[in-house]
Amino acid sequence: KKIIVVGSSHGGYEAVQQVLQDAPDAEIQWYEKGSFLSFLSCGMQLYLEGDVKDVNSVRYATEEGESAKGVHVFTQQEVVSVAAARHNVHVVDHATGDERDESYDKLILSPGAVPASIPVEGSDLANIYAMRGRDWAIKLKAATVSPDINDVVIIGAGYIGIEAAEVFAKAGKRVTVIEMQPRVLAAYLDAEFTDILADTLSEHGITPATGQCVQRFEGVDGKIARVVTDKATYPADLVIESAGVRANTDWLDGVVERDGHGLIVVDDHQATSAADIYAVGDATEVRFAPTGGKAHIALATNARRQGRIAARNALGEDISFTPVSGSSALSVFDYKFASTGIKESTASDYGVTAKSVFVGDLYRPPFVPDSAGNAPVYFKLTYAPEDGRVLGAQIMSTQNTTANINAIALAIQLHATVQDLAYADFFFQPGLNRPWNIINVAAQQAARGIG
Ligand code: FAD
């Protein structure tokens, strides 16, 4: 069997590893149009803040390592079109300019997404950056130490925008985050949490400019100088756009079915509308566990799971993607939060009626002083009011309590209820928890209101 995998990020990587594991005799061709294999954007903040020194180490596969396993790795080689009926792809080698056709038995696509640029006047000015991939990582790193850059304006207060804000605040720059929504991180957390985080950002010199829309970029000598919104004007030596992504799928027009956003339509086996072509990652949607419907949740975790499932199905198995809830976590200065599933503020987007309980507790028993690692914990559990089915949760503390959210993700996956969680067996040890885990506390409160 000859299997072609397109894209060397999370989805493509996992597909390759699964084929190596299950079909060691298969011929694998792995294509990456960039010059670098498997850059890990998730690790970019660690590099920009100096915890990781070498940009080239922010990866999980090298050409040499994969070649040694028998994979035919092609970097700087772009798959520009697919002839699905003939089971051929057309490849352009950007290093030499050569072009060729390659045949496949199975084709696995993980072309991902690129940062969306805001279509306003001035968007072609210099010093308008994005935060994705190795090339931007190198440019952003230079900007953190550039004496010419003092005012940084970030557009979009999702987790990438907030990571960028923290990087540049720590680098001593004045940072403004412009966000259309009335709150930062609104897709991840309800107001009880984002109110605290907005204060934290302000304390660290970051201005959250929420509830406003960028109208134009103004420049001086071809370089960005100001960002004008419908509410104010902000000085800017550097703009970082982190307001969403655009699927990298134009080259697949007419080959596989795509939706109105350009996302490749896949079934639960990751199969596309074309025979023997599978697609995974940010260019696709996933099955969303809380509703059973489809959702676009651009996370490495999803791409990795899909990559494994696609490869197994391509090799003849018959397995479905396990629905996911969009579990994610982030640290924002001293705070660490995680969330999964539906929030009170996102329930209506999913057409779901939801109820929530919010609990403020301590990480450890009250007799443990803060100096020994105690701290407040905030937790919110969201559930269906009619039967108590768990729909989502959010947690935040200056201590690391984020892993609790994995238990909630599993509860959602298994259709558990708040009644199931009320007395669920969670450990107690005064150094690590309280006698009642905060999930128990919230679930007991929620269960009281259910038939
Ligand atoms: P992408 O990562 O978009 O990669 C696609 C690759 O395919 C690219 O290298 C591209 O050059 C190549 N390609 C595309 N078309 C072709 C073609 N025709 N021929 C050859 N090559 C092609 N997710 C998490 O779960 N946790 C995190 O902590 C996290 N942090 C993040 C931080 C940042 C700053 C960013 C930007 C993202 C983060 N993500 C995180 C999201 C995660 O990076 C993405 O969900 C993931 O990279 C998607 O993987 P993918 O395989 O779909 O595609």
Side-chain angles (χ1 to χ4, degrees):
K1 264 208 168 104
K2 179 171 170 186
I3 303 199
I4 291 186
V5 178
V6 180
S8 76
S9 184
H10 293 273
Y13 171 80
E14 290 294 339
V16 167
Q17 303 316 306
Q18 188 74 41
V19 176
L20 280 171
Q21 182 184 309
D22 291 353
D25 296 333
E27 178 185 352
I28 307 172
Q29 289 195 345
W30 192 12
Y31 287 93
E32 169 55 53
K33 67 179 174 184
S35 57
F36 191 83
L37 195 77
S38 277
F39 183 77
L40 180 65
S41 288
C42 314
M44 201 190 289
Q45 186 178 7
L46 292 167
Y47 164 67
L48 295 176
E49 290 182 1
D51 293 329
V52 174
K53 303 288 177 222
D54 179 5
V55 69
N56 292 335
S57 69
V58 188
R59 62 177 0 185
Y60 36 83
T62 60
E63 282 174 75
E64 305 73 50
E66 297 303 303
S67 300
K69 294 185 210 165
V71 182
H72 302 282
V73 182
F74 303 97
T75 52
Q76 278 186 282
Q77 299 205 19
E78 182 171 358
V79 175
V80 293
S81 60
V82 181
R86 281 187 284 126
H87 280 50
N88 265 355
V89 296
H90 191 68
V91 179
V92 173
D93 183 334
H94 292 300
T96 61
D98 292 347
E99 303 195 12
R100 67 180 189 282
D101 282 340
E102 289 280 356
S103 66
Y104 60 83
D105 294 308
K106 304 282 176 182
L107 176 61
I108 302 176
L109 308 172
S110 192
V114 287
S117 85
I118 300 159
V120 293
E121 189 189 324
S123 58
D124 54 347
L125 288 164
N127 283 13
I128 300 181
Y129 288 11
M131 183 160 165
R132 189 179 183 112
R134 178 173 169 276
D135 294 348
W136 285 120
I138 291 168
K139 287 186 162 190
L140 288 168
K141 182 76 181 179
T144 62
V145 294
S146 165
D148 299 334
I149 288 173
N150 297 303
D151 289 296
V152 178
V153 174
I154 290 155
I155 300 169
Y159 72 92
I160 296 171
I162 295 299
E163 284 187 359
E166 188 165 344
V167 164
F168 281 90
K170 285 179 177 166
K173 314 293 184 190
R174 283 186 297 272
V175 180
T176 304
V177 186
I178 298 173
E179 167 60 54
M180 235 160 62
Q181 301 287 324
R183 299 181 293 110
V184 297
L185 293 162
Y188 303 90
L189 294 169
D190 285 335
E192 295 92 333
F193 304 85
T194 56
D195 287 352
I196 298 172
L197 292 181
D199 289 346
T200 301
L201 294 176
S202 300
E203 281 159 23
H204 287 87
I206 297 168
T207 307
T210 49
Q212 43 196 293
C213 265
V214 174
Q215 302 215 303
R216 64 178 182 278
F217 298 124
E218 290 179 354
V220 172
D221 298 334
K223 242 188 208 173
I224 185 79
R226 282 173 298 279
V227 179
V228 181
T229 74
D230 51 356
K231 298 230 172 100
T233 296
Y234 301 94
D237 304 310
L238 173 71
V239 163
I240 302 170
E241 292 186 309
S242 54
V245 292
R246 190 170 55 77
N248 212 345
T249 59
D250 290 349
W251 59 286
L252 292 165
D253 191 29
V255 178
V256 292
E257 189 189 341
R258 295 183 301 151
D259 71 9
H261 302 287
L263 298 170
I264 304 167
V265 176
V266 290
D267 66 13
D268 288 335
H269 289 62
Q270 303 304 136
T272 68
S273 58
D276 299 319
I277 304 182
Y278 298 80
V280 308
D282 284 7
T284 66
E285 288 190 314
V286 287
R287 180 77 53 198
F288 188 50
T291 60
K294 288 278 193 137
H296 185 228
I297 307 174
L299 284 172
T301 44
N302 297 338
R304 287 182 167 251
R305 283 154 182 72
Q306 291 173 305
R308 290 275 168 179
I309 301 293
R312 289 178 62 179
N313 286 320
L315 293 173
E317 283 191 75
D318 178 16
I319 51 167
S320 294
F321 180 74
T322 301
V324 291
S325 296
S327 309
S328 61
L330 187 69
S331 64
V332 182
F333 294 99
D334 292 338
Y335 283 98
K336 294 148 191 71
F337 78 80
S339 75
T340 194
I342 288 173
K343 288 102 213 170
E344 204 173 348
S345 56
T346 62
S348 61
D349 300 342
Y350 290 106
V352 167
T353 307
K355 243 182 129 176
S356 297
V357 291
F358 177 79
V359 177
D361 202 346
L362 285 172
Y363 171 49
R364 294 163 61 184
F367 65 82
V368 180
D370 288 2
S371 57
N374 210 353
V377 184
Y378 307 103
F379 180 69
K380 192 165 178 179
L381 183 62
T382 299
Y383 56 98
E386 64 281 8
D387 58 3
R389 202 161 54 81
V390 179
L391 297 174
Q394 304 152 68
I395 199 163
M396 188 166 90
S397 176
T398 54
Q399 291 292 330
N400 188 1
T401 58
T402 52
N404 283 293
I405 288 301
N406 290 334
I408 301 295
L410 186 63
I412 299 171
Q413 182 187 321
L414 299 179
H415 307 290
T417 61
V418 292
Q419 300 90 311
D420 294 321
L421 293 181
Y423 298 100
D425 174 21
F426 296 129
F427 66 82
F428 164 56
Q429 206 286 325
L432 300 166
N433 208 339
R434 298 195 60 170
W436 287 108
N437 182 288
I438 201 158
I439 297 175
N440 295 134
V441 177
Q444 288 166 16
Q445 219 172 294
R448 263 181 245 140
I450 291 174

